[in-house]
């Protein structure tokens, strides 16, 4: 463990066994951990019997906490940044901290692990040699414009969506990209993990038979791709 390092540590997206042994070593050895929600990370650390100072660091507090974290790093302490699930900075807070640390010549080290988008791509069964990651589409303003833009995108498109908007999103895909094959991955790595596959209209036709709880990754196949 090197002093003054900022470690960006991936944590599981559901299944606690998906944490790496390197992540556990880093979390055990750093001076303190910045996390989105101290309760969520507290549960993870308790499971692995790690006791560590936790600092709340989320979208709301990021700008206020950066200087404090940097000062501690500059004084020779080491810090791990984690999010509630998956890889920090990927549709999660942390980018500004990483950027500020780089400006201050602080060493930033990535500890790779789970990520919902990559896990979904790996089981989608559609071309992944080139893809565009869009994260969450805008919720209101700009959503239609973004959908229009994406309808012109030829590559595989990877998006995140919440359970509250998944039906609306499938209806939008049916409107903007009715001929694109879609894979919806729900609750990856968890007990009720499943994937729905089909064209938007097919997924909507079957929608009433589906369980709409949990977390979703929605992948849209390349425009020229046809399932065999
Ligand atoms: N940083 C995380 C990562 O590396 O995947 C993503 C954080 S983002 C705030 C949370 C979104 O990721 C969820 O709303 C969902 O779209 C997706 N997600 C996270 N865990 C998931 C899971 N187990 N199954 C499906 N989607 C998941």
């Amino acid at each position: 463990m090197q002093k003054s390092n900022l470690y960006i540590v991936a944590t599981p997206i559901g299944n606690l066994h998906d944490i790496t042994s390197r992540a556990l070593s880093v979390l055990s050895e750093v001076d303190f951990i910045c996390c989105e929600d101290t309760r969520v990370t507290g549960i993870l650390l308790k499971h692995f019997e790690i006791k560590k100072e936790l600092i709340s660091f989320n979208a709301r507090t990021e700008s206020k906490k950066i200087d404090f974290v940097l000062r501690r790093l500059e004084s020779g302490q080491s810090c791990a940044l984690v999010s509630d699930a998956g890889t920090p900075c990927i549709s999660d807070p942390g980018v500004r901290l990483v950027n500020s640390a780089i400006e201050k010549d602080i060493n930033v080290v990535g500890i790779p692990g789970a990520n919902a988008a990559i896990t979904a791509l790996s089981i989608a069964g559609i071309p992944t040699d080139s893809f565009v990651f869009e994260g969450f589409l805008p919720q209101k303003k700009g959503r239609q414009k973004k959908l229009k833009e994406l309808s012109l995108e030829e590559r595989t498109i990877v998006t995140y969506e919440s359970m509250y908007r998944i039906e609306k999103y499938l209806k939008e895909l049916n409107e903007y990209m009715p001929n694109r094959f879609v894979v919806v991955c729900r609750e990856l790595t968890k007990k009720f993990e499943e994937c729905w596959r089909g064209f938007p209209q097919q997924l909507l036709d079957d929608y009433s038979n589906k369980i709409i709880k949990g977390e979703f990754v929605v992948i849209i196949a390349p425009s020229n791709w046809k399932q065999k």
Side-chain angles (χ1 to χ4, degrees):
M1 166 72 40
Q2 211 172 312
K3 286 288 167 197
S4 304
N5 275 358
L6 171 62
Y7 294 92
I8 308 303
V9 181
T11 57
I13 55 168
N15 188 325
L16 289 183
H17 294 290
D18 292 334
I19 196 146
T20 67
S21 55
R22 189 163 170 233
L24 290 176
S25 304
V26 168
L27 294 175
S28 305
E29 291 173 28
V30 286
D31 292 299
F32 65 104
I33 298 173
C34 289
C35 60
E36 266 189 286
D37 184 331
T38 52
R39 280 164 307 180
V40 173
T41 301
I43 293 169
L44 178 80
L45 296 185
K46 191 165 178 222
H47 181 85
F48 292 105
E49 298 178 351
I50 297 172
K51 285 205 175 97
K52 199 59 62 178
E53 178 191 357
L54 291 181
I55 292 179
S56 162
F57 188 93
N58 51 46
R60 270 178 299 109
T61 59
E62 181 167 11
S63 57
K64 281 185 235 146
K65 297 276 175 79
I66 285 180
D67 286 345
F68 172 69
V69 174
L70 290 179
R71 274 202 301 278
R72 289 184 66 170
L73 285 160
E74 285 178 309
S75 77
Q77 294 195 341
S78 54
C79 166
L81 173 71
V82 299
S83 46
D84 284 351
T87 303
C89 304
I90 309 297
S91 294
D92 263 337
V95 173
R96 286 168 62 194
L97 176 63
V98 170
N99 207 6
S100 307
I102 293 165
E103 275 177 11
K104 298 251 179 211
D105 267 339
I106 290 164
N107 200 30
V108 182
V109 182
I111 308 295
N115 166 257
I118 298 297
T119 306
L121 274 172
S122 73
I123 57 170
I126 58 176
T128 55
D129 42 336
S130 169
F131 62 86
V132 46
F133 174 67
E134 283 287 338
F136 293 100
L137 300 190
Q139 279 184 34
K140 291 194 179 105
K141 197 166 171 276
R143 190 173 173 95
Q144 305 307 315
K145 185 168 171 266
K146 174 58 80 177
L147 282 159
K148 209 178 258 179
E149 265 170 43
L150 288 179
S151 69
L152 303 174
E153 172 59 61
E154 292 178 356
R155 294 169 290 180
T156 294
I157 304 165
V158 186
T159 58
Y160 287 159
E161 192 50 280
S162 96
M163 61 181 180
Y164 304 106
R165 280 183 300 276
I166 193 77
E167 183 177 13
K168 176 174 182 261
Y169 188 27
L170 291 177
K171 285 180 179 162
E172 289 166 336
L173 291 180
N174 197 32
E175 186 186 336
Y176 286 91
M177 307 175 224
N179 300 320
R180 301 277 289 260
F181 193 82
V182 173
V183 180
V184 179
C185 299
R186 184 176 86 88
E187 293 288 83
L188 291 162
T189 78
K190 302 185 198 176
K191 189 172 174 192
F192 297 107
E193 167 171 350
E194 62 176 351
C195 287
W196 315 334
R197 294 180 167 83
F199 292 95
Q201 186 60 61
Q202 292 172 322
L203 297 178
L204 285 166
D205 288 346
D206 203 25
Y207 193 77
S208 57
N209 301 321
K210 297 191 190 308
I211 298 167
I212 317 297
K213 275 194 185 143
E215 303 194 273
F216 294 84
V217 179
V218 178
I219 300 186
I220 301 156
S223 51
N224 62 358
W225 188 76
K226 294 272 171 285
Q227 195 195 25
K228 285 194 188 121

